[in-house]
Amino acid sequence: MVGLGNPGADYSRTRHNAGFLVVERLAEKWRAGWSYEKKFNARVARAERDGRRVLLCEPQTYMNSSGDAVGAVVGFYRVPLSKVLVVVDDADLPLGELRLRPAGSSGGHHGLESIEQRLGTRNYARLRVGIGRQAGARQITGYVLGRFDSTEAKLVDKVLNVAADQAECWLTAGIQKAMSQFNGVVNGSETEREAK
C-alpha cells in the first residue's frame, strides 16, 4: 500500500501529502513503525493483517518520481499488481470525497504518471482523496502545496480515518466491497455510510 507525497518538513501535512497522511494513519492504527530503506528510497512500515504481510510505503523521491520507489518495492518483493493500492490526493474531487478505482488514467497527477511509466501499466488500484481546489484559480501548485487550514481540520481528520478504513476494507474484503461501502462524500454519520 503506497501513500504519495513529498518528503521533508516543508511539505508535512500539505494537501499534496494526503496519501502520506492516510498510510501514516494506518501505520498508527496497526502499530507499525516506519524505517527508511535506502535501496527503495522510501519509508516502509511492515504489518501483519489477517495472516498476511502488508507493506506500507512512502516514496522519498518527491512526487514526480514516485514511480522509481514504487517500481523498486514492487520488483523487489514481486508484488502482483492486484495487491498494489496507491493513495493519492486529487484536486478535481472536493475536500471530503473519496474515490477508489481498480485502474484508470493519471488524471494529470504527476505521481500517478510516474508510477504508470515505471510499472508500464495503469492496472493498479488507486484511492483518490479529494482536496478540492481554489475557486477560479487556474494555477493550483501553491494551493496543493499549502497546508489544510484550521476550518478544514476536523473534516480532514474524519476523511483520513475513513480513507484508512477504506484501504483496510480493500485489503480484507476486496475492491468491490471497498468501493461500494466507502466511495463518495464523507459525512459526519457512520450509520449513514453503513446504510448505503
Side-chain angles (χ1 to χ4, degrees):
M1 214 175 284
V2 181
L4 297 190
N6 285 309
D10 287 352
Y11 299 102
S12 174
R13 299 200 61 80
T14 58
R15 292 178 176 87
H16 214 23
N17 278 23
F20 276 11
L21 297 173
V22 172
V23 294
E24 284 166 8
R25 195 62 59 107
L26 280 168
E28 198 179 304
K29 189 176 180 182
W30 298 344
R31 294 187 174 87
W34 292 95
S35 61
Y36 174 73
E37 303 222 359
K38 191 176 178 182
K39 65 178 174 271
F40 306 132
N41 192 11
R43 288 177 76 221
V44 172
R46 291 171 173 75
E48 187 93 13
R49 306 302 299 165
D50 297 330
R52 283 179 289 194
R53 286 186 314 165
V54 182
L55 210 60
L56 297 173
C57 171
E58 289 185 347
Q60 299 296 290
T61 54
Y62 288 97
M63 188 66 84
N64 297 0
S65 302
S66 298
D68 295 345
V70 174
V73 170
V74 166
F76 184 83
Y77 289 106
R78 298 193 177 106
V79 182
L81 291 180
S82 62
K83 305 283 186 212
V84 173
L85 173 65
V86 177
V87 187
V88 63
D89 64 289
D90 191 329
D92 291 324
L93 292 177
L95 178 63
E97 188 166 332
L98 298 173
R99 185 177 296 158
L100 174 63
R101 292 282 184 267
S105 77
S106 67
H109 193 288
H110 299 310
L112 292 178
E113 284 171 4
S114 174
I115 292 170
E116 186 182 311
Q117 218 170 11
R118 180 65 193 266
L119 297 181
T121 182
R122 295 173 167 184
N123 295 325
Y124 58 88
R126 69 276 319 272
L127 170 53
R128 295 177 182 270
V129 179
I131 59 167
R133 60 170 70 225
Q134 282 171 308
R138 292 189 57 78
Q139 180 52 265
I140 64 165
T141 307
Y143 177 75
V144 300
L145 294 178
R147 288 184 169 78
F148 293 106
D149 64 44
S150 56
T151 63
E152 299 168 322
K154 202 172 171 183
L155 176 58
V156 169
D157 189 56
K158 195 175 293 177
V159 168
L160 295 177
N161 284 333
V162 175
D165 288 348
Q166 185 169 23
E168 201 166 27
C169 182
W170 168 83
L171 187 68
T172 58
I175 194 160
Q176 294 304 326
K177 175 91 186 273
M179 288 193 304
S180 66
Q181 191 170 335
F182 292 92
N183 275 0
V185 177
V186 173
N187 54 43
S189 165
E190 298 296 314
T191 53
E192 282 177 49
R193 196 172 67 252
E194 285 163 12
K196 268 187 11 185

